[in-house]
Each structure stands twice: as C-alpha cells, then as structure tokens.
Amino acid sequence: WAESVARGMTSIGLGRHDTVQVSYGYGLFTGGLGAHYGSERIGATVVPASTGNTERQVELIRDLNVSAICCTPSYFLHIAETAEKMGISIEKDTKLRTAVLGAEPWSEKMRKRIKDSTGVNAYDIYGTSELSGPLFTECTEMNGMHIWGDLAYVEVIDPETGESLGPGEKGEMVITMLQKEALPIIRYRTGDITAYDDSPCPCGRNHLRIERLSGRVDDMLIIRGINVFPSQIEYTLMTIPELGEHFQIVIDRKGVLDTMVIRVELKPSAFSDKLSDIMKLKKNVEYALKNSLNVAAGVELLEPGSLARFEGKAKRVIDNRGD
Ligand SMILES: [Zn+2]
C-alpha cells in the first residue's frame, strides 16, 4: 500500500525535497492515510490537511511551500477556485506544481484545464478501500496508471459473462493482491470500469497499465436504453470553453420516457445578460451532448458558483426515477 503509492510518487518525480499536502479525508476512507504513508516513504514532508476548511488549505499551500497535493479532482477545483477568490494565484504565489488526483473519474480535458488555469500537472491515481487504499499512479508520460506487477495481478472482464477481455477492451477490473498478509484478496471484482494496455510504456516500465477509469459498473446510467457514464458528460462539457467545471445530472421520468437535464455553471467571463447569447450557447451544448451520448439531454446554464462544492467525492447525479 505505502510501497505502491511511494513508487507512483517517485515515478512522477516527487521525492525528499517535496512537501506534500494530503487533502483526502483521514479515517476509514483510506485515501488520506494511504497518501500520507506513501509520502513519508519517499522522504517527503507531509502536511496532513485532510478535507474541509478550504481557505486554510490555501494558506497552508502558500505558507508551507507545498509542492504537491493529493485530493479528489472535484476538491482540487474547489481549492483552486477558493484561492482565486482570496486573490492568491496558485501559479504565481505558491510552489504547488503537482497534483495526484483520484477517488472519482475525471477526464483528459479536465487535466488540461487544471494545467492552463493553475500551472499544476495533474496525475491520476487509482485505489479502493477494500484493497487498503491508493494503489496505482500514472508516470510522467500520463498515458495510463502502472500496475506494479509484483504487488498486484489485474484482469479486465466482461461484467455480464465474467469472461476475460483483451487489451483495449473496456470492462470491469478484477484485482488479485500478491503480497497481502492476513486477508487474502483473490480476483476481487472492483466494480470499476477500465481497459488495460500491455505495451511497454515510453518511460521504460513494462508493467501493465490501466486507462483512466470510465466509471463504475453501478454508476452507469441507462437513459432510454442507452448506456451513459457521467465521465462522458464531463468530457463533453469540458470541450466547451464557456462552461465552468461544476455540473449536475438530473434524471427524471415523464410517463414512460426518461429525461436527463445537465445543469452546468458558466465561466464568470461567459456570464452574460444577453438572453440571445445564453440561448445560443445552450443550443450548442445540447448539440454537443447529443452527438457524444447518442441520447438527447436538456441543458440548464447556471450562474457561476451556484452548485454545491464537494470536499470528497462529488455527488453529481440526482436520479428521481425511483426504481
Ligand atoms: Zn510509464
């Protein structure tokens, strides 16, 4: 566990000269302690901030010269937004350059937005509390999370039939831990959806890599018979520059028909009093979603800052269908 996180941190260039702020929750959710022990193992200084009190999180980053942070992607966005409100530029006023983000699916577009707005390189990390916490991290190539072959054996299966899938085929990740003591974990079905790549990574490591998580077998939404993942919606929204990073998916049933409405905040710069601008943008967003999801979704554009912010995993889906 600590070893696995430490190897990941080393592979993205972190080490004894770094100060790592751990802004995952500490407690039975294993993100906090997992990142903490991993950071200690590489000899870094650890700031055990846990979640909450976001203004103080920003002050700690600035005052303690924090160079790396571990938290959920949605919490990182909240911290960045809070810094901006406090008049602190992460890029100019702090030493923060690396973020290790996990515990919920996020997209490549989100990575680019984080880099562009804060100068921070964001890396993906995978873990699950059942297997004792954070486990696998990307390397500097940012093209998949390395599975340490001596610590874990990973398979991807078809969740319906249980059959093993090949490289590049999306399915449910199944993990066998090879060095766990006392509690053996053999072919544990994680419920998480990914695909593996067994080609060697340009960084020189030959372990299997898993791609960004698309979601969970149980958070896949079925809208009028079409499979939709919240991560696909995020990806599409992030391609539209006028939209902010915060959104909510509301699903209802009118008669026998499922309806889906995406409520998304505008960027402060795109917020306009001109109704015709807003209507035009709304149409564009609806068109982009229809194209990528193959099912129509209504769009509600919101004032910046109107949706709830999250310190841990974001709750983005409200399903009112009641079955
Ligand atoms: Zn690599």
Side-chain angles (χ1 to χ4, degrees), residues 139 141 143 146 201-205 209:
C139 64
E141 299 292 329
N143 64 0
H146 283 275
C201 181
C203 76
R205 296 177 183 87
R209 278 168 292 143

Side-chain angles (χ1 to χ4, degrees), residues 184-252:
I185 299 279
I186 297 162
R187 300 201 81 209
Y188 180 76
R189 288 183 70 162
T190 60
D192 291 320
I193 294 177
T194 186
Y196 72 87
D197 182 351
D198 57 0
S199 65
C201 181
C203 76
R205 296 177 183 87
N206 293 323
H207 304 277
L208 218 65
R209 278 168 292 143
I210 51 166
E211 69 177 37
R212 268 175 189 293
L213 281 281
S214 323
R216 291 187 48 78
V217 173
D218 50 15
D219 77 10
M220 185 177 77
L221 304 164
I222 303 177
I223 310 291
R224 288 178 234 159
I226 307 231
N227 299 345
V228 173
F229 286 102
S231 56
Q232 274 175 295
I233 295 175
E234 187 215 80
Y235 181 88
T236 308
L237 296 176
M238 292 307 109
T239 58
I240 301 165
E242 290 91 344
L243 301 180
E245 287 80 19
H246 297 272
F247 67 97
Q248 192 178 56
I249 303 163
V250 184
I251 299 159
D252 253 303

Side-chain angles (χ1 to χ4, degrees), residues 9 44 66 71 80 89 106 126 167 204 308 320:
M9 287 182 157
V66 167
C71 58
S89 155
W106 56 297
Y126 174 80
N320 297 321

